[in-house]
Amino acid sequence: MNSSVLLRLMVMLVQLWPCSPRAQNTVQSFTAVRRVKRAWLWEPFFVTEEQISPNPVYVGQLKSDLDKQDGNLQYILTGEGAGSIFHINEYNGTIYATQKLDREKKPFYILNAKAINRSTQHPVEPQSEFIIKVRDVNDNEPQFLDGPYVATVPEMSPEGTSVTQVTATDADDPSYGNSARLLYSLVQGQPYFSVEPKTGVIRMASQMDRETKDQYLVIIQAKDMVGQPGALSATATVTINLSDINDNPPKFQHRLYYMSVSEEAPVGTTVGKVFAEDSDTGDNAAMDYFIEEDSSDAFNIITNNETQEGIILLKKRVDYESKRRHHIEVKAVNRYIDERFLKEGPFEDTTIVKINVEDADEPPVFTVENYVMEIVEGAESGSLVGVITARDPDEDDSPIRYSIVHSTLLKRLFSINEHNGAIITTEPLDREIASWHNITVTATETRNPEKISEANVYVQVLDVNDNAPQFSKDYETFVCENAVSGQLIQSISAVDQDDSGKGHHFNFSLAQEDTNSSHFIVKDNQDNTAGIFTGKSGFRRQEQFFFYLPILIQDNGIPPLTSTNTLTVTVCDCDTEVNIFYCRYGAFMYSLGLSTEALVAVLACILIFLVFFLAIVTIRQQQKKKPPFSEKMEEFRENVVSYDDEGGGEEDTEAFDISALRTRAVVRTHKPRKKVASEIQSLYRQSLQVGPDSAIFRQFISEKLEEANTDRSVPPYDSLQTYAFEGTGSLAGSLSSLGSTTSDMDQSYDYLADWGPHFKQLAGMYSSHRTAGD
């Protein structure tokens, strides 16, 4: 083989087999060398993996075109596996493999070749890189790395529906031979499933019903070498579950159900249960129960979502005497329906339920639950209010006994005939006291006293016009002495305890026999109010202090009632505006029959009594200040030691000068005391102007307290000082003449004119400015 042919073979080898960029560069270098008539000569190098031999395996030969086969050239091999896996004959360039190789671990090796002159040790060829490729053999079986598999597919899925896909891998070389080309087949699962040979996709081969079988175990086999003889294989298991769809209607276990219920059973009682089976699961088995036909409308049905049972309940009370057997039709319907299976038929079922009513001894039954009766107020005792009726619903029709069960008060007002249920009054009724009465009446079977029923009776007392109208309140009316004619002095209104259906309407007028008819006028406002006006100008208190006006008030009842109400008009000493307080004061004094002079005398007496009382209290206090202990008690008193602080204990005798207690005569230092009479008089006059919080009163208390604290003649115990205070009086002060140093003839009363209108008349009597005629 000449060098040009070898060069072309090397270029083709590099293009056909993958190699590193260094190998490509080597080829380019080799080509360049060949241009100068120097080049390596070798064949493509291959070695088969897993090749076992007691002798080294020939791989290939390196040769330089300068090798004259005289042994002068030395071939040297370096690179991956050189010297361990691969060995070279240094004389002829033959390469051998000495170890078993595994392509799956390393598919090729990159080595370097050199050729040197043995004599000169100089290279005769440049270093060249080449590749030894490990050729694959089918030594790896397929593997299912993701197994075992679990898949779910809806039941009744059509043929060809994809279930899942299984995938196996092979470690052999997919680019060389058929070692890694796999073929899938179904070992177990026919005739329900199939598998695509190349892709491993499992599909439905027929429609399957979950209610028949809900789980299948499928075995898939994968073979390499396209299933040819000698191929390696592996299997995987696939568990396929069928999910449920609503393809089954509910079915009742029985076509006919028998039940019973007592006529005493209350509303809501469970009568019985029905059950419809559904082969589906979950929501596909959910159902609702309905009552299709029930002529009595006495029953209802609900669905227990946990047990899927239909519970029949009593909707209203049943009566054995009226209807002893009930016939109802119950339907069970799937709650969720798959439209794909509507053509399969209705997803519902019906059954018949017969219910027998059991007889029971029932209590009496009133004709109505609540009775409403009326009676006119004032009706005499024994008047009929109304009649109640009850019956025994049972066949034996036991006699009924009636009674009233309520408060003691109602028993006195009403009674009932225990045989016929007639309610009568025991005394006249007054609507104004109570317009309604509530009575509880019982009906009891005479043959079975335990059977009792109750009914409410509401008695309305009808109104009659038996109450005359009267003033809505107590009026306090005043008129000034200089009032003019036609002046409004009072507005009045009236009330009536009766109940007028059309509304109350009152007429006001002045009694004809009134002797004061010329002094006042009553004007009816036609709105249930009236005005009292003066009929003349000017009034004198000295002539007449009070006027009593008889006011006639008539209601609009049938028959109408009239009452006379007296309005008291007080003449007040005022100009145009009425001072209510002053007028009340004057009226009070007039009612007591006291004049101003008499009032002054009364006040003076009170003041004298008060002064006398205070004097006695003062004398008693002075007596209490005297030493209460005799000389025989001095030794006892010497043992009394008073401490004002916590001191040093029993041996502390310096904390207090005990000689002060031994001294009988103690020099007392008193403040100058005021004269008792003038002091009391001054304090009394000031107390009429000020209250307990005034500075003067506090000063008086402080002085008394200081005198008590500084009095050394009394024993060392606390004393209680009591002071009376009568409160705030007239702004004019006291009128008492106690303490006065002058006679009435020398005293001036001009200051009475400054005390206001309250003392206007007194000022006119005692003032120096009064006229000679007065």
Side-chain angles (χ1 to χ4, degrees):
M1 181 181 296
N2 55 34
S3 59
S4 60
V5 174
L6 290 175
L7 178 62
R8 286 195 296 271
L9 288 175
M10 282 295 300
V11 172
M12 292 177 62
L13 178 62
V14 173
Q15 292 176 349
L16 291 173
W17 300 101
C19 61
S20 66
R22 294 178 56 192
Q24 297 179 2
N25 294 335
T26 302
V27 176
Q28 295 175 359
S29 301
F30 178 80
T31 304
V33 173
R34 185 64 189 135
R35 291 193 184 98
V36 295
K37 304 300 183 180
R38 298 176 63 188
W40 283 99
L41 300 175
W42 62 61
E43 297 177 355
F45 298 124
F46 296 96
V47 61
T48 302
E49 67 170 333
E50 302 290 342
Q51 191 172 7
I52 302 174
S53 175
N55 299 318
V57 178
Y58 174 78
V59 178
Q61 184 179 12
L62 295 174
K63 186 176 183 181
S64 173
D65 57 357
L66 299 179
D67 188 1
K68 296 179 181 180
Q69 298 183 355
D70 55 1
N72 191 33
L73 294 182
Q74 181 183 359
Y75 293 96
I76 300 174
L77 186 65
T78 60
E80 296 177 338
S84 59
I85 300 176
F86 302 104
H87 295 272
I88 189 170
N89 190 322
E90 63 179 5
Y91 295 101
N92 58 19
T94 304
I95 300 173
Y96 296 94
T98 60
Q99 296 181 13
K100 187 189 313 183
L101 303 180
D102 189 354
R103 188 202 67 82
E104 285 71 38
K105 294 182 178 179
K106 191 170 181 62
F108 61 89
Y109 295 85
I110 300 176
L111 295 98
N112 296 298
K114 290 191 298 184
I116 61 175
N117 191 300
R118 291 181 180 271
S119 300
T120 64
Q121 294 296 314
H122 293 293
V124 296
E125 294 287 355
Q127 179 173 304
S128 178
E129 184 180 83
F130 66 95
I131 297 174
I132 298 178
K133 185 175 177 61
V134 181
R135 183 171 292 168
D136 182 52
V137 296
N138 188 20
D139 59 344
N140 291 279
E141 63 184 13
Q143 292 183 351
F144 290 95
L145 301 180
D146 298 330
Y149 297 87
V150 177
T152 302
V153 63
E155 64 171 328
M156 304 304 293
S157 296
E159 183 179 349
T161 300
S162 174
V163 179
T164 187
Q165 183 179 15
V166 296
T167 302
T169 59
D170 197 317
D172 293 325
D173 188 2
S175 62
Y176 178 77
N178 296 324
S179 298
R181 296 180 63 184
L182 303 180
L183 188 69
Y184 298 95
S185 61
L186 192 67
V187 177
Q188 177 179 316
Q190 301 91 346
Y192 308 109
F193 303 96
S194 64
V195 63
E196 293 183 356
K198 294 182 178 181
T199 62
V201 175
I202 301 175
R203 298 185 181 276
M204 301 285 291
S206 62
Q207 284 188 336
M208 289 173 287
D209 188 3
R210 186 200 65 83
E211 286 72 35
T212 301
K213 186 177 181 180
D214 60 353
Q215 190 178 78
Y216 294 85
L217 186 64
V218 177
I219 300 178
I220 303 296
Q221 184 184 60
K223 282 187 177 182
D224 58 11
M225 297 186 67
V226 202
Q228 297 177 359
L232 302 177
S233 64
T235 59
T237 60
V238 182
T239 302
I240 301 177
N241 298 311
L242 297 182
S243 61
D244 184 61
I245 62 173
N246 191 10
D247 58 342
N248 293 280
K251 293 291 184 182
F252 279 104
Q253 295 177 332
H254 306 284
R255 295 291 94 187
L256 182 63
Y257 288 85
Y258 291 97
M259 300 177 185
S260 61
V261 61
S262 173
E263 63 174 341
E264 283 187 324
V267 174
T269 300
T270 299
V271 179
K273 299 178 181 179
V274 296
F275 179 68
E277 292 181 328
D278 194 320
S279 301
D280 299 320
T281 61
D283 291 341
N284 295 324
M287 66 188 72
D288 293 316
Y289 293 90
F290 304 94
I291 293 181
E292 287 290 292
E293 183 180 349
D294 179 12
S295 58
S296 63
D297 194 27
F299 302 95
N300 190 18
I301 190 169
I302 60 174
T303 304
N304 187 331
N305 293 323
E306 295 182 359
T307 62
Q308 292 298 315
E309 293 177 318
I311 303 174
I312 300 177
L313 304 176
L314 189 62
K315 186 176 180 181
K316 69 178 184 179
R317 297 285 293 268
V318 292
D319 186 14
Y320 173 83
E321 287 73 27
S322 300
K323 188 174 183 178
R324 302 184 179 183
R325 176 171 294 181
H326 295 264
H327 177 279
I328 62 176
E329 182 177 336
V330 178
K331 177 185 290 187
V333 181
N334 271 143
R335 189 175 300 168
Y336 308 103
I337 299 177
D338 194 335
E339 296 181 355
R340 296 176 299 173
F341 302 98
L342 287 176
K343 60 182 179 180
E344 301 295 333
F347 286 84
E348 60 185 38
D349 195 18
T350 58
T351 187
I352 303 300
V353 180
K354 293 184 177 181
I355 303 174
N356 294 323
V357 180
E358 297 177 349
D359 188 24
D361 189 4
E362 300 175 90
V365 178
F366 286 95
T367 54
V368 294
E369 295 181 0
N370 297 307
Y371 293 85
V372 179
M373 302 178 182
E374 297 177 348
I375 186 172
V376 177
E377 71 170 322
E380 60 183 11
S381 300
S383 298
L384 178 63
V385 180
V387 178
I388 62 172
T389 304
R391 64 176 182 85
D392 182 7
D394 300 319
E395 291 182 343
D396 56 357
D397 194 14
S398 172
I400 305 299
R401 184 178 67 254
Y402 302 95
S403 62
I404 292 179
V405 180
H406 215 281
S407 66
T408 305
L409 176 61
L410 291 180
K411 287 183 178 180
R412 289 200 306 265
L413 295 178
F414 302 94
S415 65
I416 189 171
N417 188 309
E418 66 176 7
H419 301 292
N420 58 20
I423 300 175
I424 59 175
T425 61
T426 58
E427 61 182 62
L429 304 179
D430 189 354
R431 191 204 66 84
E432 284 69 42
I433 296 178
S435 59
W436 284 89
H437 297 276
N438 301 334
I439 307 173
T440 300
V441 178
T442 61
T444 306
E445 291 185 8
T446 56
R447 298 174 185 173
N448 188 0
E450 295 182 355
K451 299 301 178 179
I452 303 174
S453 298
E454 291 186 354
N456 295 322
V457 179
Y458 303 97
V459 180
Q460 182 181 15
V461 183
L462 302 179
D463 183 57
V464 296
N465 192 22
D466 58 347
N467 290 278
Q470 56 186 345
F471 280 150
S472 58
K473 64 178 183 178
D474 294 332
Y475 292 101
E476 193 176 24
T477 308
F478 301 96
V479 61
C480 290
E481 287 185 312
N482 55 354
V484 297
S485 178
Q487 181 178 342
L488 176 65
I489 62 173
Q490 184 69 60
S491 293
I492 60 174
S493 61
V495 293
D496 193 333
Q497 295 183 4
D498 293 322
D499 183 18
S500 177
K502 298 180 180 179
H504 289 292
H505 181 72
F506 304 112
N507 294 319
F508 299 87
S509 62
L510 196 62
Q512 298 295 329
E513 65 276 8
D514 180 25
T515 58
N516 301 312
S517 59
S518 60
H519 296 79
F520 301 97
I521 300 174
V522 176
K523 182 179 179 181
D524 195 337
N525 298 326
Q526 300 300 319
D527 59 355
N528 291 340
T529 63
I532 308 300
F533 295 85
T534 57
K536 70 170 187 172
S537 298
F539 295 87
R540 289 184 59 83
R541 298 173 62 190
Q542 291 77 6
E543 296 179 358
Q544 187 170 355
F545 203 93
F546 297 106
F547 291 91
Y548 302 99
L549 303 182
I551 307 298
L552 297 180
I553 307 176
Q554 184 182 46
D555 61 17
N556 61 334
I558 301 175
L561 295 180
T562 303
S563 66
T564 301
N565 298 263
T566 302
L567 180 68
T568 302
V569 180
T570 305
V571 180
C572 184
D573 183 12
C574 55
D575 296 333
T576 56
E577 295 184 359
V578 175
N579 188 320
I580 300 298
F581 175 78
Y582 179 68
C583 291
R584 288 176 179 171
Y585 171 75
F588 173 72
M589 297 306 301
Y590 182 82
S591 62
L592 295 178
L594 296 177
S595 62
T596 304
E597 295 80 358
L599 176 62
V600 173
V602 171
L603 293 177
C605 293
I606 294 174
L607 184 58
I608 294 172
F609 176 77
L610 180 61
V611 171
F612 179 74
F613 175 76
L614 291 177
I616 294 176
V617 172
T618 304
I619 294 173
R620 290 175 65 89
Q621 290 180 351
Q622 293 295 335
Q623 292 177 352
K624 289 182 179 180
K625 292 180 180 179
K626 293 181 179 182
F629 298 94
S630 64
E631 295 180 357
K632 295 180 180 181
M633 300 298 293
E634 289 184 358
E635 294 180 0
F636 173 77
R637 292 177 58 189
E638 289 178 357
N639 294 329
V640 177
V641 180
S642 175
Y643 293 91
D644 293 332
D645 54 11
E646 294 184 358
E650 295 180 355
E651 297 180 358
D652 186 2
T653 59
E654 298 178 359
F656 183 80
D657 187 5
I658 197 169
S659 61
L661 296 176
R662 296 176 179 175
T663 303
R664 300 185 59 184
V666 179
V667 180
R668 300 178 56 190
T669 303
H670 297 285
K671 292 184 180 181
R673 299 186 62 180
K674 299 179 183 180
K675 194 173 181 179
V676 176
S678 60
E679 182 184 68
I680 295 176
Q681 177 184 359
S682 175
L683 291 175
Y684 175 73
R685 291 181 177 179
Q686 293 176 1
S687 66
L688 296 176
Q689 300 178 1
V690 297
D693 296 332
S694 68
I696 297 174
F697 191 85
R698 290 196 299 271
Q699 180 181 357
F700 175 74
I701 296 299
S702 300
E703 291 176 359
K704 295 299 181 182
L705 182 61
E706 182 66 22
E707 291 180 6
N709 291 335
T710 57
D711 191 353
R712 297 179 179 270
S713 63
V714 297
Y717 55 80
D718 294 336
S719 61
L720 177 64
Q721 300 293 331
T722 305
Y723 303 97
F725 184 75
E726 293 187 355
T728 302
S730 171
L731 296 177
S734 174
L735 297 178
S736 175
S737 60
L738 294 178
S740 177
T741 58
T742 60
S743 62
D744 294 342
M745 300 297 297
D746 300 331
Q747 187 173 355
S748 177
Y749 296 96
D750 294 340
Y751 56 85
L752 294 176
D754 299 330
W755 287 4
H758 296 222
F759 298 89
K760 179 179 178 182
Q761 185 173 357
L762 189 61
M765 296 171 59
Y766 291 91
S767 175
S768 60
H769 299 288
R770 56 187 175 180
T771 61
D774 297 334

